[in-house]
Amino acid sequence: MAKKTQATWGGRFQSGPAALMLKFSESASFDRRLAPFDVAGSKAHSAMLARIGLLTARERDAIHAGLDRILAEIEEGTFTWDERLEDVHMNIEHALTLRVPAAAKLHTARSRNDQVATDMRLFFRHACAVLAEKVKNAQSSLLSAAAAGRSVLIPGYTHLQRAQPVFAAHHVFAWMEMLERDRARFLEVAEKANECPLGSGAIAGTTLSIDREYVAKLLGFVDKKGRARVTQNSMDAVADRDTHIEFASACALFGVHISRIAEDLILWSSAEFKFVSLPDEFCTGSSLMPQKKNPDSCELLRGKSARLQGNLHTLLTLVKGLPMTYNRDLQEDKSPVFDSFDQASVCADVLAATVKGLSFIADRCAAAASDPALLATDLADYLVDRGVPFRAAHHAVGAVVALAEKRGCPIPELPTDAVQRIHAGFGEDWAKVFDLGRALAMRKGTGMPGPGQLSRQFARWKKILGVRG
Ligand code: ARG
């Protein structure tokens, strides 16, 4: 039989956990990164215990000083972690109790169930703020890429077939919109996390007269008016993992967005497109083929999105069949959350750095954008302007395109009389439609790719991102 080893809950046990069980069940190896939040929670909790008379001011101060010292040691890497103490909560409490006898009172009116729920909410507030900032940084890099593509025309695509010409900056701004939604989403998740579960105890609160609102305020769980925000059901508070799922979901969707951006860049940097050249620093070569320059950072951004989706799926599956309330399964909630945070963070950084060094290959873009077929829709609009119903105009232009294909010449080089035989609505000036400058200048409405709108969008993004100049 293993020796009795568990001081914290070992009272009713004849035997301590087997070595295999310790190894299997410990979480300190990965939840230790919650230490700053655990210490903050314990400081607020002990301040409250002093306020209601369950700790003296002196005991509270000793606990606070001890917690600060332990956190400093953890941050320096000198703290000794013990897997027999299972998790970050018990490691800290145990070390504190050895140094500060009053710490034996710290766990009054608290369970690890409401403690870990609180730690995670504090973590989400921090992680969401970090990610929102990193996404903003990536957007600033995209703004530089947009500036580089301000007067570069490229084809926009649907079905990966050339559709209509746009300024490269307009395409980059499409990416920026996706990231702007991600940024807002991270801030919304931070707001979802903004409720204090402490005081819920293991499941049914406590018989002691605690002050939950005081703790919530100390930890910054407050509304805009500074009023405490506390969870409203002690069972839900310890069972709920919605914020974990919403956080992982926000990361997964961010991953989907960066994957789509990465895919555009992979295509654009291929010899077939050759619209952009990616920075050497974020590409690699081939060990066999000397000519290769592979867009590895983009491929990895695309690949990481699978992992971010996987983490979301892990969490959804983890929670789905669990009976109320806390179950030990829930300890498995941390690794996917931390991984999503770490991977989303590094992806934001890599995206920022990759697009910062992006340059457009002007002649290749110009050659692709000058395909007159891209303005076939404009030719239909030309007929509409002259009173032709759009469906008839669409049909007539289709016939013009077919004729050009048959004759093997660019559309604007078709003889006017041949075009007029297709539809009498075509005037002598029909071919002016194929002037790209004119075509873009006419796209004036909000959200369209014309140069006037583009200037508006540059100003808008500079304002949103706080970029001067
Ligand atoms: N390490 C545990 C977890 O993350 C903390 C909560 C433990 N609670 C319990 N009743 N064993 O889930």
Side-chain angles (χ1 to χ4, degrees):
M1 238 189 233
K3 252 190 26 239
K4 195 161 158 178
T5 52
Q6 237 303 341
T8 313
W9 47 250
R12 55 109 64 222
F13 284 79
Q14 297 304 315
S15 158
L20 179 62
M21 176 57 183
L22 281 173
K23 221 175 177 45
F24 182 59
S25 64
E26 70 83 26
S27 58
S29 55
F30 55 89
D31 67 13
R32 63 180 64 178
R33 65 191 285 173
L34 290 175
F37 311 109
D38 201 65
V39 164
S42 288
K43 284 173 83 172
H45 183 67
S46 50
M48 182 276 291
L49 292 176
R51 184 177 158 91
I52 62 168
L54 291 180
L55 284 178
T56 64
R58 189 187 285 262
E59 286 171 330
R60 175 200 60 203
D61 293 346
I63 287 172
H64 283 198
L67 285 168
D68 287 341
R69 233 175 306 126
I70 286 173
L71 184 58
E73 286 168 22
I74 291 172
E75 282 166 356
E76 283 163 11
T78 53
F79 184 78
T80 313
W81 294 92
D82 184 350
E83 71 169 20
R84 285 171 304 175
L85 294 165
E86 291 183 20
D87 54 23
V88 60
H89 323 292
M90 296 215 288
N91 267 274
I92 292 177
E93 189 190 325
H94 181 76
L96 184 66
T97 311
L98 291 179
R99 304 166 190 204
V100 181
K105 296 182 179 175
L106 175 61
H107 213 50
T108 306
R110 185 175 77 170
S111 153
R112 275 184 296 157
N113 296 352
D114 57 350
Q115 190 177 356
V116 73
T118 305
D119 289 8
M120 287 304 285
R121 283 171 178 271
L122 292 170
F123 168 82
F124 288 128
R125 274 191 345 203
H126 161 77
C128 288
V130 168
L131 284 173
E133 206 44 46
K134 284 186 182 286
V135 172
K136 194 171 179 183
N137 182 46
Q139 288 177 301
S140 299
S141 289
L142 285 174
L143 186 59
S144 321
R150 181 156 192 164
S151 54
V152 175
L153 283 168
I154 54 168
Y157 293 77
T158 65
H159 310 265
L160 199 54
Q161 306 292 321
R162 286 179 183 170
Q164 294 183 305
V166 293
F167 287 106
H170 189 66
H171 192 127
V172 173
F173 284 154
W175 299 338
M176 302 263 282
E177 296 287 345
M178 301 196 285
L179 297 190
E180 186 63 9
R181 291 193 292 277
D182 290 321
R183 202 157 66 90
R185 201 169 288 113
F186 284 125
L187 298 175
E188 281 161 24
V189 173
E191 200 38 48
K192 289 277 174 71
N194 187 23
E195 271 186 357
C196 189
L198 267 184
S200 302
I203 164 173
T206 173
T207 57
L208 300 163
S209 304
I210 60 171
D211 185 344
R212 294 192 62 201
E213 283 69 20
Y214 180 70
V215 179
K217 280 188 188 165
L218 287 180
L219 291 173
F221 290 111
V222 290
D223 66 13
K224 287 204 172 66
K225 291 187 175 156
R227 290 174 302 206
R229 297 201 64 202
V230 297
T231 53
Q232 297 292 312
N233 180 291
S234 62
M235 291 176 72
D236 177 54
V238 296
D240 171 31
R241 292 297 182 272
D242 288 5
T243 316
H244 295 54
I245 290 168
E246 286 168 321
F247 176 77
S249 169
C251 291
L253 190 45
F254 171 57
V256 166
H257 292 155
I258 52 178
S259 179
R260 294 187 74 173
I261 296 171
E263 172 62 8
D264 278 346
L265 291 172
I266 291 165
L267 284 173
W268 283 2
S269 63
S270 69
E272 282 67 21
F273 281 79
K274 223 168 174 234
F275 289 174
V276 293
S277 142
L278 296 173
D280 278 2
E281 296 90 326
F282 288 89
C283 295
T284 66
S286 156
S287 55
L288 179 72
M289 299 166 282
Q291 85 285 9
K292 290 296 288 292
K293 175 175 166 183
N294 298 326
D296 289 32
S297 67
C298 294
E299 293 169 276
L300 280 166
L301 287 171
R302 198 174 54 185
K304 298 277 189 190
S305 73
R307 183 164 163 181
L308 293 171
Q309 287 177 45
N311 289 337
L312 170 62
H313 210 90
T314 298
L315 289 166
L316 287 165
T317 310
L318 177 69
V319 176
K320 97 171 192 29
L322 292 184
M324 286 282 127
T325 55
Y326 178 83
N327 299 268
R328 189 66 182 272
D329 318 39
L330 290 176
Q331 182 168 289
E332 289 293 313
D333 65 2
K334 277 160 220 74
S335 301
V337 162
F338 294 154
D339 188 60
S340 284
F341 176 50
D342 295 340
Q343 294 304 320
S345 298
V346 71
C347 284
D349 291 348
V350 169
L351 176 68
T354 302
V355 294
K356 211 181 189 95
L358 187 79
S359 57
F360 287 95
I361 302 171
D363 57 333
R364 291 282 303 205
C365 293
S370 63
D371 176 355
L374 297 181
L375 294 174
T377 314
D378 295 45
L379 191 57
D381 289 347
Y382 167 93
L383 287 178
V384 167
D385 245 352
R386 299 169 139 242
V388 180
F390 181 75
R391 281 291 156 222
H394 185 286
H395 196 80
V397 174
V400 171
V401 171
L403 183 64
E405 252 175 32
K406 198 167 131 208
R407 296 195 179 182
C409 75
I411 303 170
E413 282 166 30
L414 285 171
T416 298
D417 58 344
V419 170
Q420 284 172 331
R421 268 197 299 281
I422 290 172
H423 200 290
F426 288 115
E428 288 299 320
D429 63 348
W430 73 281
K432 74 173 181 196
V433 162
F434 295 95
D435 175 341
L436 271 173
R438 175 185 174 278
L440 267 302
M442 288 176 77
R443 287 173 159 81
K444 293 196 195 98
T446 302
M448 296 183 196
Q453 277 299 322
L454 215 52
S455 298
R456 255 192 70 196
Q457 294 300 332
F458 270 106
R460 173 176 160 252
W461 284 116
K462 278 183 188 164
K463 195 163 159 214
I464 291 173
L465 302 173
V467 175
R468 267 169 302 159

